[in-house]
Amino acid sequence: MQRWKFWAFLTVILTVTAVFQYQLFSKDTWEQWSLPLSGKIIILDPGHGGPDGGAVGGDVLEKDVALEVSRYVKDYLQEQGALVLMTREEDIDLADPATKGYSRRKVEDLRKRIELINESDGDLFLSIHLNAIPSPRWRGAQTFYHGTKHKENERLAKFIQEEFRVNLENTDRYAKSMNTLFILKNAEIPGALVEVGFLSNPSERALLNTEEYQKSLAASIYNGVMRHYTNEQELPDPPE
């Protein structure tokens, strides 16, 4: 190949490559800018872990279901541009390995969770839990919020609860103010605590242990967060 033809061919290749890279970069950058949760930092807190199994129903443990639901929520939120941090991503508690005794580890674990939430520069947090009581009668998800610390708490909790009511169709509960819960009381950023169901109810326990239902719960939580960040008016208070 003559020298001038070689340089002409090389110039064409470099030009095409540069244009392709520019178009690819521009497309990705535009998509990143246009994602609705871009720039938001969201903290997910799967309850319990490690030696603390949490609520128990049959052979199903709260710590396991809470973690799986949180993982699905993380995936959904990240797809919309959020930076999602989790207080735990495996079956562990957050206490120091050297700390002995279940109660001491529990206290240290809760304090570490609060530290992570408050030092995260997060925009909001969600603590994911499950319920269990002696009676098998009760079922359904419910969202709790601190009623005086942040106005956003109530708005977020109401939207998530509304998504549970509409999408799962197995609860008539409304979001509830609960100022005594440790996580809600001590968190310095807006957030809510979500009890996704009752392990003490046999039929709900069976659902909670399936991937399909866990994804449905996660989708409802995700939809609630998305509505929270829109211009939609806050939902009215529940009827007396």
Side-chain angles (χ1 to χ4, degrees), residues 48 54-55 60-67 69 128-132 194-199 208 217:
H48 308 279
V60 183
L61 300 179
E62 176 180 4
K63 65 174 183 178
D64 298 327
V65 178
L67 181 57
V69 172
I128 310 297
H129 291 261
L130 289 86
N131 225 326
V194 185
E195 298 271 4
V196 298
F198 284 81
L199 289 175
L208 288 164
L217 289 165

Side-chain angles (χ1 to χ4, degrees), residues 104-120:
R104 291 181 63 190
R105 293 191 66 85
K106 180 66 176 176
V107 170
E108 186 175 333
D109 172 73
L110 288 171
R111 288 177 177 169
K112 289 286 182 67
R113 291 172 191 268
I114 285 296
E115 287 178 9
L116 288 173
I117 290 170
N118 291 340
E119 295 174 3
S120 66

Side-chain angles (χ1 to χ4, degrees), residues 45-56 61-68 70-71 86-96 99 101-110 112-113 127-130:
D45 174 43
H48 308 279
D52 179 12
V56 180
L61 300 179
E62 176 180 4
K63 65 174 183 178
D64 298 327
V65 178
L67 181 57
E68 291 305 311
S70 297
R71 285 171 173 163
M86 294 178 63
T87 57
R88 69 178 181 97
E89 298 197 57
E90 54 186 324
D91 183 17
I92 59 171
D93 66 5
L94 304 188
D96 190 283
T99 301
Y102 177 84
S103 59
R104 291 181 63 190
R105 293 191 66 85
K106 180 66 176 176
V107 170
E108 186 175 333
D109 172 73
L110 288 171
K112 289 286 182 67
R113 291 172 191 268
S127 192
I128 310 297
H129 291 261
L130 289 86

Side-chain angles (χ1 to χ4, degrees), residues 47-226:
H48 308 279
D52 179 12
V56 180
D59 60 352
V60 183
L61 300 179
E62 176 180 4
K63 65 174 183 178
D64 298 327
V65 178
L67 181 57
E68 291 305 311
V69 172
S70 297
R71 285 171 173 163
Y72 294 131
V73 176
K74 178 182 179 181
D75 289 343
Y76 295 150
L77 293 173
Q78 286 186 153
E79 288 175 358
Q80 298 304 319
L83 172 60
V84 181
L85 307 176
M86 294 178 63
T87 57
R88 69 178 181 97
E89 298 197 57
E90 54 186 324
D91 183 17
I92 59 171
D93 66 5
L94 304 188
D96 190 283
T99 301
K100 304 299 182 182
Y102 177 84
S103 59
R104 291 181 63 190
R105 293 191 66 85
K106 180 66 176 176
V107 170
E108 186 175 333
D109 172 73
L110 288 171
R111 288 177 177 169
K112 289 286 182 67
R113 291 172 191 268
I114 285 296
E115 287 178 9
L116 288 173
I117 290 170
N118 291 340
E119 295 174 3
S120 66
D121 292 325
D123 293 284
L124 65 80
F125 77 93
L126 294 169
S127 192
I128 310 297
H129 291 261
L130 289 86
N131 225 326
I133 58 176
S135 171
R137 171 186 174 189
W138 302 103
R139 63 177 296 157
Q142 186 164 22
T143 308
F144 298 90
Y145 64 94
H146 196 287
T148 61
K149 297 189 71 170
H150 300 281
K151 178 61 177 175
E152 301 99 310
N153 292 349
E154 183 175 1
R155 175 180 171 85
L156 173 66
K158 283 182 175 180
F159 281 131
I160 292 174
Q161 189 65 33
E162 179 70 7
E163 290 295 319
F164 285 144
R165 286 166 54 87
V166 172
N167 296 331
L168 303 181
E169 298 182 336
N170 64 2
T171 181
D172 58 0
R173 292 185 177 87
Y174 290 86
K176 184 176 181 180
S177 175
M178 185 71 72
N179 295 350
T180 58
L181 293 175
F182 183 85
I183 292 288
L184 300 180
K185 182 179 179 180
N186 291 280
E188 296 174 359
I189 64 174
L193 185 144
V194 185
E195 298 271 4
V196 298
F198 284 81
L199 289 175
S200 47
N201 181 287
S203 60
E204 187 166 45
R205 177 171 66 244
L207 285 172
L208 288 164
N209 202 33
T210 66
E211 178 180 334
E212 181 180 3
Y213 192 70
Q214 290 168 4
K215 287 183 175 179
S216 295
L217 289 165
S220 295
I221 295 170
Y222 157 77
N223 287 334
V225 173
M226 293 293 288

